[in-house]
Amino acid sequence: MNPRSSAPVSRTATDVLRIVSDSGTPVFVTVHEGGRRRYGYWRPSGPGGQGACYAALPTDVCDELYAARRIVLGEPLVDPAKTTYRVRAATGSAAARQPTVVVRAA
């Protein structure tokens, strides 16, 4: 069992962790056939929630956070060509329970 890393993170990683930690912003990772991953979330594009747009998160940064057990994946939703997971910030107990998923470079 690998404990969660306490190593400092970059400014970009801090921004990603802030987004993932926001309970009002569901973040997902989609793993496509062949292993390509895409992390992202929907965000309001105007005041009052009028409209929205998809915002991608940097895959390399998210993969580093996952490897450091700072983010964890929820239950998989499997489609024929892809699998989607909810991404959450790790807590001490969630990081300890997180199964190891092989993350390959895209």
Side-chain angles (χ1 to χ4, degrees), residues 80-97:
K82 65 185 178 188
T83 302
T84 303
Y85 302 87
R86 174 78 186 261
V87 179
R88 299 183 195 279
T91 61
S93 59
R97 289 190 315 267

Side-chain angles (χ1 to χ4, degrees), residues 45-50:
S45 59
Q50 296 285 335

Side-chain angles (χ1 to χ4, degrees), residues 2-66:
N2 292 340
R4 190 174 98 175
S5 172
S6 60
V9 295
S10 69
R11 164 97 180 171
T12 303
T14 300
D15 290 342
V16 169
L17 283 171
R18 181 183 45 77
I19 293 165
V20 171
S21 297
D22 179 1
S23 62
T25 306
V27 176
F28 297 90
V29 60
T30 301
V31 182
H32 297 273
E33 260 184 39
R36 183 176 62 91
R37 291 163 320 288
R38 198 71 200 128
Y39 295 82
Y41 64 100
W42 284 96
R43 73 172 171 210
S45 59
Q50 296 285 335
C53 65
Y54 181 78
L57 295 170
T59 301
D60 58 334
V61 172
C62 292
D63 286 347
E64 288 173 12
L65 291 170
Y66 178 76

